[in-house]
Amino acid sequence: MSEPVDPRLNSFIVRLAATHDFPQLRQWFLRSPAATTLLTRMAHGQVPIDHDTLDAAAGDRGGRAISVEHLRRLLVAAGALPPREEYLARLEAAFARVIEHTPGEDQMVIARYVHWHVLPGVRRRLATGRDPQRTCTLARGMLYGPRRLVDELHSRGEHIGSLRQPVLDQWLARRRSDAISVSVFLRWAARHRLASSVNLPVPRMNDPMDFNDPDQQWELLRRCLHDHTLSPRTRLAGTLVLMYGQHASTIVQLRASHVTPGPPTTLRLGTDAVEISEPIATVLRHAATGTISTLAERGIANSFETSEDRWLFPGRGPGKRLGTEALLNELRRAGIRSRQARNTTLLTLARELPPAVLADLLGIGTSTADRWRQWAGGTWAAYEVPSHR
């Protein structure tokens, strides 16, 4: 570049120069004209080097403009931008749009609900290490029902403060899928005297209904252990679901620090570490040291990695883990339906281990382990569990 370059980009330029895959680097610039143009303008001081500039360039798609988001992650990894929780930032932007388009006096009610209840709850969960993608997706879903209820009331010339029981009952009869989110919202609104008290449905925990046939469960596990036509990442993730009942959102948050190479090789899922046997132990060690084959797919992001405590399931961006939905899709392509596989595993283990031991080994709550123990001895007592072969 002939013009002076903003010194904050020096580290970024050095890391680009350290990239060994020059053809891929060239392709990234050619395929990403929006990011390339933005980077040039940042370098010459034509636009600020900050998250607001990138948000504006990403448009109104919730920050999902792929090339701009990839540039953001590279700039953060190089120290040119401060880190931020992207899923939370997108959630806040989405909520701002919902509030802006909420009609009438209920706009104030929805705004207070978002800023006093929903977002503080999200931040508390993120502070305890919850999966950001899943947490923010669930939080966004919790606003859909209340927003639809507000639209219904507005069409009647009414508002949340004037909500009557017959109107609510009729609406919930048509919108049963919104019952939980609307119940949470209306209880909050009543506590803050923004809505009158109404009778609300009480959400109940449904019994698990989806299971694998025992022979099918064993065949899936056999493939994960021994079928080298599957990627190492799929084999490792599938084993964690089929043997240890792990949820995909938990698996993608595992780091190298959760692994002790041994011997024996162990993985800490809960309070106590579990011993991982071969052949998956080798795959796990490779994931912990970054030699698993999927790293080769990450392109220029490898030059921007700084953390030694790497993700076991890395994404394509520097410091980025694989997304929960991406892992679920990968498992589905291997024939593994996570819910059925996980339910089958937890039911099996709940029959063999006390709830406290199950909770400590698998990293699930004690109350969850208790419920699985009850299901194993009650509703599903006649279910044939997969035998250990």
Side-chain angles (χ1 to χ4, degrees):
M1 300 177 182
S2 57
E3 300 178 44
V5 174
D6 191 308
R8 286 175 293 174
L9 293 177
N10 286 344
S11 176
F12 177 86
I13 295 170
V14 167
R15 296 192 187 203
L16 279 184
T19 299
H20 299 296
D21 193 346
F22 289 104
Q24 188 158 10
L25 177 59
R26 179 176 179 273
Q27 283 300 312
W28 181 71
F29 278 112
L30 291 175
R31 289 196 309 262
S32 311
T36 303
T37 300
L38 183 61
L39 180 60
T40 302
R41 298 183 68 201
M42 285 180 167
H44 297 325
Q46 297 171 3
V47 293
I49 303 175
D50 58 26
H51 285 290
D52 289 341
T53 298
L54 290 158
D55 290 341
D60 60 357
R61 289 174 287 169
R64 291 191 294 273
I66 295 175
S67 64
V68 173
E69 288 307 310
H70 191 58
L71 174 61
R72 187 199 304 272
R73 289 192 290 270
L74 297 177
L75 291 170
V76 169
L81 278 179
R84 74 174 186 180
E85 177 46 66
E86 287 306 316
Y87 289 108
L88 178 59
R90 296 176 196 178
L91 180 68
E92 290 171 337
F95 280 169
R97 291 192 293 272
V98 170
I99 293 169
E100 180 183 357
H101 293 97
T102 300
E105 59 191 89
D106 285 331
Q107 184 180 75
M108 177 270 294
V109 178
I110 293 294
R112 289 184 178 181
Y113 180 60
V114 165
H115 294 296
W116 294 2
H117 181 75
V118 180
L119 285 177
V122 169
R123 293 189 182 101
R124 284 194 300 272
R125 293 182 182 90
L126 294 180
T128 63
R130 296 287 185 89
D131 175 26
Q133 180 184 23
R134 181 174 175 81
T135 299
C136 293
T137 299
L138 291 174
R140 186 178 299 201
M142 290 302 290
L143 201 57
Y144 291 156
R147 184 64 177 79
R148 283 189 280 261
L149 177 60
V150 165
D151 286 342
E152 172 71 16
L153 293 173
H154 186 69
S155 70
R156 294 168 172 262
E158 301 179 31
H159 54 87
I160 290 295
S162 65
L163 177 63
R164 294 167 289 125
Q165 188 73 49
V167 173
L168 176 63
D169 291 343
Q170 291 172 12
W171 186 82
L172 285 176
R174 302 194 309 270
R175 305 287 317 187
R176 293 186 179 182
S177 61
D178 290 327
I180 293 178
S181 62
V182 166
S183 295
V184 172
F185 167 66
L186 289 178
R187 286 192 178 92
W188 173 87
R191 285 198 307 272
H192 290 81
R193 300 181 181 180
L194 299 172
S196 57
S197 295
V198 290
N199 294 323
L200 296 166
V202 178
R204 62 180 297 271
M205 179 78 65
N206 293 324
D207 290 349
M209 300 297 295
D210 299 324
F211 295 92
N212 281 336
D213 175 87
D215 290 334
Q216 178 189 17
Q217 182 87 348
W218 173 251
E219 176 57 25
L220 290 170
L221 179 57
R222 185 199 64 76
R223 284 195 66 205
C224 289
L225 293 174
H226 303 293
D227 187 350
H228 291 271
T229 63
L230 298 176
S231 72
R233 184 167 70 188
T234 301
R235 292 175 61 207
L236 177 56
T239 300
L240 293 177
V241 173
L242 291 157
M243 285 193 71
Y244 302 104
Q246 295 298 293
H247 196 286
S249 63
T250 302
I251 293 172
V252 296
Q253 294 189 81
L254 293 172
R255 289 183 176 269
S257 58
H258 291 92
V259 179
T260 302
T265 301
T266 63
L267 175 63
R268 180 168 46 82
L269 300 171
T271 305
D272 301 326
V274 296
E275 183 175 338
I276 307 296
S277 302
E278 296 293 353
I280 290 300
T282 298
V283 179
L284 180 60
R285 289 193 298 271
H286 287 172
T289 56
T291 54
I292 199 166
S293 61
T294 50
L295 280 178
E297 304 170 1
R298 305 184 66 221
I300 64 175
N302 289 326
S303 298
F304 287 78
E305 284 292 355
T306 56
S307 175
E308 294 183 1
D309 191 15
R310 63 180 71 251
W311 298 108
L312 296 188
F313 296 85
R316 288 186 176 272
K320 182 178 173 60
R321 61 168 177 77
L322 187 67
T324 301
E325 285 302 316
L327 181 59
L328 287 171
N329 289 335
E330 195 166 318
L331 291 172
R332 289 188 195 105
R333 287 193 293 271
I336 300 171
R337 298 294 184 266
S338 180
R339 183 192 299 273
Q340 290 94 314
R342 185 170 180 268
N343 285 350
T344 305
T345 300
L346 290 175
L347 189 71
T348 303
L349 294 176
R351 289 179 175 173
E352 300 178 355
L353 298 172
V357 175
L358 191 66
D360 286 345
L361 284 176
L362 303 187
I364 61 177
T366 304
S367 59
T368 300
D370 281 332
R371 282 197 299 271
W372 277 103
R373 183 66 173 176
Q374 294 169 13
W375 287 324
T379 307
W380 296 105
Y383 178 80
E384 180 187 355
V385 301
S387 58
H388 297 285
R389 309 186 189 191

